[in-house]
Amino acid sequence: GHRGRCAAEPQREGGLLGSKMAGILEEALVAYTYVGLWICMSAGVILYNKYILTVFGFPFPVALTMIHMAFCSALAFVLVRVLGVVKGINMSRETYIAKIVPIAGLFAVVLWMGNTAYVYLSVAFIQMVKALMPCVVYTVGCAFKVEKYKKETMMNMMVIALGVGIASYGELNFNLTGFMLLMGSIVCEAVRIVSIQLLLTSADIKLNSVTTLYYVSPACFVFLLAPFVFIEAPRFASGAEDVNLDPVVLGSNAALAFALNISVYLLIGKTSALTMNVAGVIKDWMLIFISSVMFDAPISSLQLWGYLLAFAAVCYYNYQKYLERVAAEAAKGAGGKAVKLDDREASGGIEMTKQITVNGNAVPNSKP
């Protein structure tokens, strides 16, 4: 029994306990190194994208996203098919068309709108508005009957929305076009997350961040051809703009986006969803301040207060989710009925989905 085991513990030799402690410390160190890497890469990709689109001289968000997709598809192909480091899944063409293609289509819209927003808005403001993500996911989830409507949760969501509203009102360089694009991107992202639950989780298709790239990125690339051909190619061809095509910059940017995905792949399973939520929070605050200094985009105090309110409400929501998950695990452990956990939460919740929108790297459906 449990009691007997505890009693026996002190009688073991100190050496064994020492090595056990060392093992635990080493594990924690590895986990936190990965988390640190993820924070740096995630923030790095966002800042690098912003730099390329606004400073460097390549104001083509769709083309940039297509470079990411092509690069990531190719490397994922090598990892899955050539080296066999990551196991693919057997998927029929019908399944691919019915389940993966719609998600890739939504993803293309998310990336197109989300990355275009960086041309018009500051990174700090975008991070603040993205605090709306849980609200939108919850609302869409309720509409699709994936989430249960609860009055308390809806009140929580209202507080988040109010905070984001105040932050938007306080934004000094507000741009309506950018804001509409960003909101469109967030709504499509929410629909994509819910679709992943409806299409993949229900069919028990489990993709990790590498197999996602392998299956989703090529289809996403094809979808992105439409906005590219109609919106960006004519601008490109007219030669009116001075376009900087430095392969080192564009290549390293795509490589960083891919590396971010690999860090997500390594992270899942090494840390808890809660750790990932906390890491996401640290990343957001870091991004807000670093980007404000880097791109000389001032932040008003009203804006910070608004974000602080939204941020507190998001933390409270994530904490409630965490408690629900613990209760569900306990029920499962006590031989009760296994409760189907929300995969989005299981893979690090809202924070993971935030980072996805920006750099074209979906982490749909990974269990920790």
Side-chain angles (χ1 to χ4, degrees):
H2 188 64
R3 214 174 286 114
R5 204 165 58 237
C6 290
E9 200 77 86
Q11 282 142 22
R12 297 230 182 117
E13 311 125 61
L16 194 69
L17 198 68
S19 67
K20 204 171 163 190
M21 274 305 290
I24 290 170
L25 275 174
E26 192 182 340
E27 229 169 69
L29 204 66
V30 169
Y32 283 112
T33 307
Y34 280 140
V35 171
L37 259 174
W38 176 77
I39 291 174
C40 294
M41 283 183 186
S42 188
V45 168
I46 291 172
L47 295 170
Y48 205 170
N49 286 354
K50 173 70 176 173
Y51 166 77
I52 287 176
L53 293 171
T54 56
V55 182
F56 166 74
F58 188 81
F60 299 103
V62 179
L64 185 66
T65 310
M66 285 172 74
I67 294 170
H68 286 189
M69 290 294 121
F71 188 86
C72 291
S73 302
L75 283 184
F77 181 82
V78 171
L79 287 178
V80 176
R81 272 282 197 274
V82 183
L83 300 176
V85 190
V86 181
K87 240 171 58 106
I89 44 182
N90 294 324
M91 197 186 294
S92 66
R93 176 172 290 182
E94 291 74 42
T95 310
Y96 186 80
I97 290 169
K99 304 207 177 277
I100 302 289
V101 171
I103 288 169
L106 282 166
F107 198 35
V109 178
V110 167
L111 293 170
W112 166 31
M113 290 185 162
N115 283 340
T116 308
Y118 281 90
V119 176
Y120 299 97
L121 301 170
S122 74
V123 173
F125 182 51
I126 289 175
Q127 290 309 113
M128 290 180 186
V129 176
K130 278 193 192 158
L132 275 177
M133 201 68 226
C135 295
V136 185
V137 171
Y138 180 72
T139 311
V140 171
C142 288
F144 281 95
K145 303 265 190 294
V146 173
E147 297 266 6
K148 277 195 197 69
Y149 175 80
K150 288 201 205 84
K151 206 167 90 197
E152 300 80 43
T153 312
M154 215 39 176
M155 293 298 287
N156 189 342
M157 297 308 167
M158 295 295 194
V159 177
I160 298 176
L162 176 69
V164 172
I166 295 170
S168 306
Y169 183 74
E171 167 64 22
L172 302 164
N173 300 314
F174 184 83
N175 177 295
L176 190 62
T177 311
F179 185 72
M180 296 310 284
L181 282 164
L182 181 58
M183 287 310 296
S185 168
I186 289 173
V187 170
C188 286
E189 174 66 3
V191 175
R192 188 185 74 88
I193 288 167
V194 173
S195 312
I196 284 170
Q197 278 178 271
L198 291 171
L199 296 174
L200 300 187
T201 316
S202 59
D204 210 33
I205 298 171
K206 292 186 183 66
L207 297 178
N208 59 44
S209 56
V210 177
T211 46
T212 299
L213 287 186
Y214 176 73
Y215 291 109
V216 179
S217 300
C220 193
F221 180 89
V222 174
F223 278 114
L224 285 166
L225 279 167
F228 177 72
V229 167
F230 290 109
I231 298 168
E232 291 188 0
R235 272 174 54 205
F236 215 77
S238 71
E241 291 167 83
D242 201 18
V243 182
N244 193 343
L245 288 171
D246 186 345
V248 177
V249 171
L250 295 174
S252 59
N253 176 255
L256 187 62
F258 183 74
L260 173 65
N261 255 18
I262 297 296
S263 79
V264 169
Y265 177 66
L266 295 172
L267 254 179
I268 300 287
K270 295 240 180 348
T271 50
S272 69
L274 194 66
T275 311
M276 284 314 299
N277 266 322
V278 174
V281 163
I282 295 169
K283 184 201 79 182
D284 287 343
W285 283 102
M286 256 177 55
L287 265 174
I288 285 171
F289 290 108
I290 293 173
S291 68
S292 158
V293 175
M294 256 178 78
F295 297 103
D296 195 29
I299 300 170
S300 69
S301 55
L302 179 65
Q303 199 172 9
L304 269 184
W305 282 113
Y307 181 60
L308 208 61
L309 177 65
F311 167 75
V314 170
C315 289
Y316 180 73
Y317 172 70
N318 280 345
Y319 179 64
Q320 293 302 112
K321 275 288 197 195
Y322 171 70
L323 292 181
E324 272 173 38
R325 196 164 56 238
V326 170
E329 290 288 342
K332 205 155 96 185
K337 250 176 85 212
V339 184
K340 178 83 189 74
L341 287 179
D342 177 331
D343 283 296
R344 186 176 66 256
E345 297 310 320
S347 70
I350 313 304
E351 296 307 331
M352 280 297 211
T353 61
K354 267 193 193 169
Q355 154 239 328
I356 288 165
T357 327
V358 186
N359 32 38
N361 304 325
V363 188
N365 187 18
S366 356
K367 297 234 174 17

